């Protein structure tokens, strides 16, 4: 008598039981705290003892003089990170694909993705030293060419671009792995056919390599739309200061200051809820685009 399907599958379901419980406890359980966004929350009175004030916290947030600037900073920095974070790994993967010495390719690839495993606390301290206007290596190099010292982490004109540049430097090597994997799926006979037709390496890249990578490029680009309001709290928090609030303050840092420093829990929760709802909308749109242009499906 053949065994029933559940007899073979129950160990796998049992294996998933602990992760599901953890997700319910640490991801869905805290969502009860959303009610704080609609309350004049007082910790001593608890979640359900505080005064219910409806949409007042949201109205207060929209009346803050810095709200729209913070939203603009978040979207501006996020978009630059998304664009640069797509271009840099693609270029790196294409360049590594042209390297014929396997040992050199693996060594260089390891070197460029090592920063991904360093926290922003460590990198923040390193960047503070490197970008220092008085003793930093970057300004010392610029001084050789007669350029005046630049306060990269204290000048609103430079700070957003420092965030984008350092974020790309940290993560582009790890992202290169995805595109290197996509390159292995391209049929070698396409290159042979292109070479027979007289195509040089540049034309082979343009007409064979890039079209072969296009599905994964489109997929990652559309899925990244869900991160449009995530400009990187860890990075910004470790690098910014009051001098660059005008150009570097983002939604997450505003929530941190409102909630933890100023104890305005209801207002901070309202800002976080607003961000979550908008992010959810972008995620839905991104998955729709990924399905349409890259045939990506969750199920």
């Amino acid at each position: 008598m053949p065994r029933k399907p559940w007899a073979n599958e129950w160990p796998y379901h049992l294996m998933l039981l602990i992760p599901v419980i953890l997700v319910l406890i640490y991801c869905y359980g805290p969502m009860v705290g959303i009610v704080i966004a609609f309350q004049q929350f007082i910790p001593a009175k608890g979640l359900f003892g505080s005064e219910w004030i409806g949409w007042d916290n949201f109205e207060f947030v929209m009346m803050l003089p810095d709200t729209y600037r913070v939203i603009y900073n978040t979207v501006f920095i996020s978009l630059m990170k998304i664009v640069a974070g797509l271009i840099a790994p693609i270029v790196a993967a294409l360049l590594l694909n042209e390297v014929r010495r396997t040992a050199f390719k693996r060594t260089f690839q390891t070197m460029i993705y090592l920063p991904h495993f360093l926290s922003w606390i460590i990198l923040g301290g390193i960047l503070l030293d490197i970008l220092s206007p008085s003793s930093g290596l970057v300004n010392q190099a610029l001084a050789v060419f007669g350029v005046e010292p630049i306060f990269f982490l204290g000048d609103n004109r430079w700070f957003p671009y420092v965030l984008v540049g350092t974020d790309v430097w940290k993560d582009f090597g790890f992202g290169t792995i995805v595109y290197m994997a996509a390159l292995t799926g391209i049929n070698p006979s396409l290159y042979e056919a292109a070479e027979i037709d007289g195509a040089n390496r540049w034309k082979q890249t343009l007409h064979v390599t890039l079209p072969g990578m296009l599905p994964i490029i489109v997929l990652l680009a559309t899925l990244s739309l869900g991160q449009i309001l995530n400009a990187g709290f860890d990075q910004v928090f470790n690098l910014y200061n009051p001098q660059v609030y005008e150009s570097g303050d983002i939604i997450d840092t505003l929530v941190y200051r409102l909630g933890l420093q100023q104890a305005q829990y209801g207002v901070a929760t309202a800002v976080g809820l607003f961000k979550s709802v908008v992010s959810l909308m972008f995620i839905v749109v991104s998955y729709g685009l990924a399905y349409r242009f890259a045939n990506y499906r969750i199920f």
Side-chain angles (χ1 to χ4, degrees):
M1 181 177 178
R3 300 180 66 183
K4 296 181 179 180
W6 64 266
N8 296 324
E9 297 174 359
W10 73 264
Y12 301 105
H13 292 285
L14 185 62
M15 183 177 63
L16 290 173
L17 181 60
I18 294 178
V20 169
I21 292 175
L22 291 176
V23 169
L24 291 175
I25 293 175
Y26 292 106
C27 295
Y28 289 94
M31 291 183 68
V32 177
I34 290 176
V35 298
I36 296 175
F38 305 95
Q39 295 175 338
Q40 184 66 44
F41 181 69
I42 299 176
K45 295 183 178 180
L47 283 178
F48 304 104
S50 300
E51 180 184 357
W52 185 270
I53 59 174
W55 298 95
D56 288 0
N57 286 325
F58 294 90
E59 295 176 0
F60 176 78
V61 169
M62 292 303 163
M63 292 175 60
L64 290 174
D66 297 335
T67 298
Y68 296 100
R69 174 180 56 79
V70 167
I71 294 175
Y72 171 80
N73 291 341
T74 304
V75 174
F76 179 65
I77 294 172
S78 296
L79 283 176
M80 288 198 299
K81 284 185 176 181
I82 289 172
V83 173
L86 285 172
I87 295 175
I90 293 172
V91 173
L94 292 175
L95 293 176
L96 285 173
N97 189 51
E98 298 300 318
V99 177
R100 292 294 172 256
R101 294 188 178 182
T102 305
F104 176 80
K105 180 188 293 187
R106 290 178 178 176
T107 302
F108 187 75
Q109 188 174 356
T110 301
M111 291 174 59
I112 62 176
Y113 77 62
L114 276 178
H116 174 80
F117 299 99
L118 297 177
S119 71
W120 276 113
I121 297 175
I122 297 174
L123 291 179
I126 294 173
L127 291 171
L128 285 173
D129 290 334
I130 293 177
L131 300 177
S132 171
S134 58
S135 59
L137 294 177
V138 174
N139 277 302
Q140 288 181 6
L142 293 175
V144 175
F145 300 97
V147 179
E148 293 293 327
I150 300 173
F151 196 2
F152 290 101
L153 300 180
D155 191 331
N156 285 300
R157 296 173 298 175
W158 288 96
F159 188 71
Y161 304 101
V162 171
L163 292 177
V164 175
T166 54
D167 181 76
V168 171
W169 167 70
K170 182 178 186 295
D171 290 328
F172 88 96
F174 194 80
T176 302
I177 297 174
V178 178
Y179 296 106
M180 291 294 292
L183 288 173
T184 61
I186 300 176
N187 192 339
S189 63
L190 296 176
Y191 291 104
E192 297 173 1
E195 189 173 356
I196 293 173
D197 290 339
N200 56 26
R201 295 301 300 177
W202 167 248
K203 289 186 177 180
Q204 290 178 34
T205 300
L206 192 62
H207 298 289
V208 178
T209 307
L210 285 177
M213 296 172 64
L214 189 60
I216 191 66
I217 294 174
V218 173
L219 174 61
L220 294 179
T222 52
L223 294 181
S224 64
L225 292 177
Q227 303 297 319
I228 197 68
L229 292 184
N230 292 323
F233 172 78
D234 291 347
Q235 179 195 21
V236 176
F237 182 73
N238 283 284
L239 294 178
Y240 86 148
N241 57 78
Q243 286 183 282
V244 291
Y245 278 178
E246 182 181 344
S247 63
D249 199 16
I250 60 174
I251 293 176
D252 290 334
T253 53
L254 177 65
V255 170
Y256 171 81
R257 291 200 308 277
L258 290 174
L260 296 181
Q261 293 185 343
Q262 302 177 18
Q264 299 186 53
Y265 303 110
V267 177
T269 306
V271 176
L273 181 58
F274 166 77
K275 174 191 169 184
S276 299
V277 171
V278 175
S279 296
L280 175 62
M281 293 169 59
F282 275 109
I283 289 173
V284 172
V285 171
S286 67
Y287 274 101
L289 293 174
Y291 171 72
R292 179 172 182 179
F293 295 106
N295 197 29
Y296 174 82
R297 302 182 183 182
I298 302 177
F299 301 105

PDB file of all heavy atoms in Angstrom, residues 198-217:
ATOM      1  N   GLY A 198      31.827  38.269 -37.021  1.00  0.00           N
ATOM      2  CA  GLY A 198      32.755  39.393 -37.009  1.00  0.00           C
ATOM      3  C   GLY A 198      32.581  40.350 -35.848  1.00  0.00           C
ATOM      4  O   GLY A 198      33.169  41.444 -35.855  1.00  0.00           O
ATOM      5  N   ALA A 199      31.825  39.963 -34.829  1.00  0.00           N
ATOM      6  CA  ALA A 199      31.606  40.851 -33.686  1.00  0.00           C
ATOM      7  C   ALA A 199      32.823  40.829 -32.761  1.00  0.00           C
ATOM      8  O   ALA A 199      33.321  39.752 -32.403  1.00  0.00           O
ATOM      9  CB  ALA A 199      30.363  40.410 -32.910  1.00  0.00           C
ATOM     10  N   ASN A 200      33.307  42.014 -32.385  1.00  0.00           N
ATOM     11  CA  ASN A 200      34.400  42.092 -31.419  1.00  0.00           C
ATOM     12  C   ASN A 200      33.849  41.924 -30.006  1.00  0.00           C
ATOM     13  O   ASN A 200      32.656  41.728 -29.805  1.00  0.00           O
ATOM     14  CB  ASN A 200      35.173  43.400 -31.579  1.00  0.00           C
ATOM     15  CG  ASN A 200      34.261  44.622 -31.457  1.00  0.00           C
ATOM     16  OD1 ASN A 200      33.209  44.568 -30.802  1.00  0.00           O
ATOM     17  ND2 ASN A 200      34.635  45.716 -32.109  1.00  0.00           N
ATOM     18  N   ARG A 201      34.735  42.023 -28.997  1.00  0.00           N
ATOM     19  CA  ARG A 201      34.306  41.791 -27.635  1.00  0.00           C
ATOM     20  C   ARG A 201      33.244  42.799 -27.184  1.00  0.00           C
ATOM     21  O   ARG A 201      32.321  42.462 -26.455  1.00  0.00           O
ATOM     22  CB  ARG A 201      35.514  41.857 -26.685  1.00  0.00           C
ATOM     23  CG  ARG A 201      36.535  40.768 -26.896  1.00  0.00           C
ATOM     24  CD  ARG A 201      35.941  39.388 -26.717  1.00  0.00           C
ATOM     25  NE  ARG A 201      35.397  39.178 -25.377  1.00  0.00           N
ATOM     26  CZ  ARG A 201      34.775  38.063 -25.004  1.00  0.00           C
ATOM     27  NH1 ARG A 201      34.578  37.075 -25.874  1.00  0.00           N
ATOM     28  NH2 ARG A 201      34.327  37.924 -23.770  1.00  0.00           N
ATOM     29  N   TRP A 202      33.387  44.046 -27.616  1.00  0.00           N
ATOM     30  CA  TRP A 202      32.417  45.060 -27.220  1.00  0.00           C
ATOM     31  C   TRP A 202      31.038  44.753 -27.799  1.00  0.00           C
ATOM     32  O   TRP A 202      30.026  44.829 -27.110  1.00  0.00           O
ATOM     33  CB  TRP A 202      32.891  46.443 -27.660  1.00  0.00           C
ATOM     34  CG  TRP A 202      31.823  47.493 -27.577  1.00  0.00           C
ATOM     35  CD1 TRP A 202      31.226  48.148 -28.602  1.00  0.00           C
ATOM     36  CD2 TRP A 202      31.194  47.991 -26.377  1.00  0.00           C
ATOM     37  NE1 TRP A 202      30.276  49.024 -28.144  1.00  0.00           N
ATOM     38  CE2 TRP A 202      30.239  48.948 -26.776  1.00  0.00           C
ATOM     39  CE3 TRP A 202      31.366  47.714 -25.025  1.00  0.00           C
ATOM     40  CZ2 TRP A 202      29.463  49.636 -25.859  1.00  0.00           C
ATOM     41  CZ3 TRP A 202      30.583  48.394 -24.114  1.00  0.00           C
ATOM     42  CH2 TRP A 202      29.643  49.344 -24.528  1.00  0.00           C
ATOM     43  N   LYS A 203      31.011  44.357 -29.093  1.00  0.00           N
ATOM     44  CA  LYS A 203      29.726  44.049 -29.714  1.00  0.00           C
ATOM     45  C   LYS A 203      29.138  42.763 -29.148  1.00  0.00           C
ATOM     46  O   LYS A 203      27.910  42.630 -29.038  1.00  0.00           O
ATOM     47  CB  LYS A 203      29.903  43.940 -31.226  1.00  0.00           C
ATOM     48  CG  LYS A 203      30.178  45.280 -31.900  1.00  0.00           C
ATOM     49  CD  LYS A 203      30.204  45.155 -33.410  1.00  0.00           C
ATOM     50  CE  LYS A 203      30.403  46.526 -34.063  1.00  0.00           C
ATOM     51  NZ  LYS A 203      30.443  46.437 -35.545  1.00  0.00           N
ATOM     52  N   GLN A 204      29.986  41.827 -28.765  1.00  0.00           N
ATOM     53  CA  GLN A 204      29.476  40.618 -28.121  1.00  0.00           C
ATOM     54  C   GLN A 204      28.832  40.953 -26.778  1.00  0.00           C
ATOM     55  O   GLN A 204      27.784  40.408 -26.418  1.00  0.00           O
ATOM     56  CB  GLN A 204      30.615  39.619 -27.921  1.00  0.00           C
ATOM     57  CG  GLN A 204      31.127  38.990 -29.209  1.00  0.00           C
ATOM     58  CD  GLN A 204      32.280  38.056 -28.958  1.00  0.00           C
ATOM     59  OE1 GLN A 204      32.344  37.380 -27.937  1.00  0.00           O
ATOM     60  NE2 GLN A 204      33.223  37.993 -29.905  1.00  0.00           N
ATOM     61  N   THR A 205      29.474  41.855 -26.051  1.00  0.00           N
ATOM     62  CA  THR A 205      28.894  42.294 -24.774  1.00  0.00           C
ATOM     63  C   THR A 205      27.564  42.998 -24.996  1.00  0.00           C
ATOM     64  O   THR A 205      26.591  42.778 -24.263  1.00  0.00           O
ATOM     65  CB  THR A 205      29.868  43.243 -24.057  1.00  0.00           C
ATOM     66  OG1 THR A 205      31.090  42.560 -23.802  1.00  0.00           O
ATOM     67  CG2 THR A 205      29.277  43.733 -22.737  1.00  0.00           C
ATOM     68  N   LEU A 206      27.521  43.847 -26.013  1.00  0.00           N
ATOM     69  CA  LEU A 206      26.329  44.657 -26.274  1.00  0.00           C
ATOM     70  C   LEU A 206      25.168  43.820 -26.786  1.00  0.00           C
ATOM     71  O   LEU A 206      24.010  44.062 -26.416  1.00  0.00           O
ATOM     72  CB  LEU A 206      26.682  45.759 -27.285  1.00  0.00           C
ATOM     73  CG  LEU A 206      25.671  46.882 -27.473  1.00  0.00           C
ATOM     74  CD1 LEU A 206      25.486  47.653 -26.180  1.00  0.00           C
ATOM     75  CD2 LEU A 206      26.121  47.831 -28.578  1.00  0.00           C
ATOM     76  N   HIS A 207      25.454  42.826 -27.634  1.00  0.00           N
ATOM     77  CA  HIS A 207      24.380  42.097 -28.309  1.00  0.00           C
ATOM     78  C   HIS A 207      24.145  40.690 -27.771  1.00  0.00           C
ATOM     79  O   HIS A 207      23.137  40.069 -28.119  1.00  0.00           O
ATOM     80  CB  HIS A 207      24.673  42.017 -29.810  1.00  0.00           C
ATOM     81  CG  HIS A 207      24.736  43.349 -30.484  1.00  0.00           C
ATOM     82  ND1 HIS A 207      23.620  44.133 -30.707  1.00  0.00           N
ATOM     83  CD2 HIS A 207      25.795  44.062 -30.961  1.00  0.00           C
ATOM     84  CE1 HIS A 207      23.969  45.256 -31.315  1.00  0.00           C
ATOM     85  NE2 HIS A 207      25.292  45.246 -31.475  1.00  0.00           N
ATOM     86  N   VAL A 208      25.058  40.182 -26.945  1.00  0.00           N
ATOM     87  CA  VAL A 208      24.875  38.837 -26.395  1.00  0.00           C
ATOM     88  C   VAL A 208      24.817  38.864 -24.863  1.00  0.00           C
ATOM     89  O   VAL A 208      23.858  38.373 -24.266  1.00  0.00           O
ATOM     90  CB  VAL A 208      26.021  37.891 -26.846  1.00  0.00           C
ATOM     91  CG1 VAL A 208      25.840  36.512 -26.212  1.00  0.00           C
ATOM     92  CG2 VAL A 208      26.041  37.780 -28.357  1.00  0.00           C
ATOM     93  N   THR A 209      25.838  39.472 -24.248  1.00  0.00           N
ATOM     94  CA  THR A 209      25.930  39.431 -22.787  1.00  0.00           C
ATOM     95  C   THR A 209      24.808  40.212 -22.117  1.00  0.00           C
ATOM     96  O   THR A 209      24.106  39.688 -21.243  1.00  0.00           O
ATOM     97  CB  THR A 209      27.295  39.975 -22.323  1.00  0.00           C
ATOM     98  OG1 THR A 209      28.340  39.283 -22.997  1.00  0.00           O
ATOM     99  CG2 THR A 209      27.452  39.791 -20.826  1.00  0.00           C
ATOM    100  N   LEU A 210      24.649  41.476 -22.499  1.00  0.00           N
ATOM    101  CA  LEU A 210      23.624  42.299 -21.852  1.00  0.00           C
ATOM    102  C   LEU A 210      22.207  41.774 -22.075  1.00  0.00           C
ATOM    103  O   LEU A 210      21.414  41.725 -21.123  1.00  0.00           O
ATOM    104  CB  LEU A 210      23.746  43.749 -22.324  1.00  0.00           C
ATOM    105  CG  LEU A 210      24.911  44.532 -21.718  1.00  0.00           C
ATOM    106  CD1 LEU A 210      24.986  45.930 -22.316  1.00  0.00           C
ATOM    107  CD2 LEU A 210      24.795  44.616 -20.206  1.00  0.00           C
ATOM    108  N   PRO A 211      21.842  41.362 -23.310  1.00  0.00           N
ATOM    109  CA  PRO A 211      20.504  40.761 -23.458  1.00  0.00           C
ATOM    110  C   PRO A 211      20.327  39.496 -22.619  1.00  0.00           C
ATOM    111  O   PRO A 211      19.228  39.239 -22.118  1.00  0.00           O
ATOM    112  CB  PRO A 211      20.439  40.433 -24.958  1.00  0.00           C
ATOM    113  CG  PRO A 211      21.346  41.431 -25.588  1.00  0.00           C
ATOM    114  CD  PRO A 211      22.480  41.592 -24.619  1.00  0.00           C
ATOM    115  N   GLY A 212      21.401  38.726 -22.441  1.00  0.00           N
ATOM    116  CA  GLY A 212      21.302  37.539 -21.602  1.00  0.00           C
ATOM    117  C   GLY A 212      21.104  37.873 -20.132  1.00  0.00           C
ATOM    118  O   GLY A 212      20.485  37.114 -19.383  1.00  0.00           O
ATOM    119  N   MET A 213      21.633  39.012 -19.711  1.00  0.00           N
ATOM    120  CA  MET A 213      21.489  39.450 -18.319  1.00  0.00           C
ATOM    121  C   MET A 213      20.205  40.244 -18.094  1.00  0.00           C
ATOM    122  O   MET A 213      19.837  40.496 -16.940  1.00  0.00           O
ATOM    123  CB  MET A 213      22.683  40.331 -17.928  1.00  0.00           C
ATOM    124  CG  MET A 213      24.018  39.627 -17.948  1.00  0.00           C
ATOM    125  SD  MET A 213      25.389  40.801 -17.702  1.00  0.00           S
ATOM    126  CE  MET A 213      25.030  41.382 -16.026  1.00  0.00           C
ATOM    127  N   LEU A 214      19.545  40.639 -19.161  1.00  0.00           N
ATOM    128  CA  LEU A 214      18.410  41.559 -19.044  1.00  0.00           C
ATOM    129  C   LEU A 214      17.299  41.069 -18.120  1.00  0.00           C
ATOM    130  O   LEU A 214      16.776  41.855 -17.321  1.00  0.00           O
ATOM    131  CB  LEU A 214      17.841  41.867 -20.433  1.00  0.00           C
ATOM    132  CG  LEU A 214      16.789  42.972 -20.489  1.00  0.00           C
ATOM    133  CD1 LEU A 214      17.368  44.286 -19.971  1.00  0.00           C
ATOM    134  CD2 LEU A 214      16.267  43.148 -21.915  1.00  0.00           C
ATOM    135  N   PRO A 215      16.900  39.785 -18.175  1.00  0.00           N
ATOM    136  CA  PRO A 215      15.817  39.353 -17.271  1.00  0.00           C
ATOM    137  C   PRO A 215      16.145  39.572 -15.795  1.00  0.00           C
ATOM    138  O   PRO A 215      15.298  40.066 -15.039  1.00  0.00           O
ATOM    139  CB  PRO A 215      15.669  37.861 -17.598  1.00  0.00           C
ATOM    140  CG  PRO A 215      16.151  37.732 -19.002  1.00  0.00           C
ATOM    141  CD  PRO A 215      17.268  38.713 -19.117  1.00  0.00           C
ATOM    142  N   ILE A 216      17.359  39.231 -15.371  1.00  0.00           N
ATOM    143  CA  ILE A 216      17.707  39.409 -13.953  1.00  0.00           C
ATOM    144  C   ILE A 216      17.872  40.883 -13.619  1.00  0.00           C
ATOM    145  O   ILE A 216      17.561  41.317 -12.514  1.00  0.00           O
ATOM    146  CB  ILE A 216      18.992  38.611 -13.609  1.00  0.00           C
ATOM    147  CG1 ILE A 216      19.183  38.569 -12.092  1.00  0.00           C
ATOM    148  CG2 ILE A 216      20.205  39.210 -14.284  1.00  0.00           C
ATOM    149  CD1 ILE A 216      18.139  37.816 -11.357  1.00  0.00           C
ATOM    150  N   ILE A 217      18.325  41.694 -14.580  1.00  0.00           N
ATOM    151  CA  ILE A 217      18.436  43.137 -14.353  1.00  0.00           C
ATOM    152  C   ILE A 217      17.052  43.747 -14.130  1.00  0.00           C
ATOM    153  O   ILE A 217      16.841  44.527 -13.200  1.00  0.00           O
ATOM    154  CB  ILE A 217      19.152  43.822 -15.540  1.00  0.00           C
ATOM    155  CG1 ILE A 217      20.610  43.372 -15.623  1.00  0.00           C
ATOM    156  CG2 ILE A 217      19.081  45.343 -15.404  1.00  0.00           C
ATOM    157  CD1 ILE A 217      21.332  43.883 -16.853  1.00  0.00           C
TER     158      ILE A 217
END
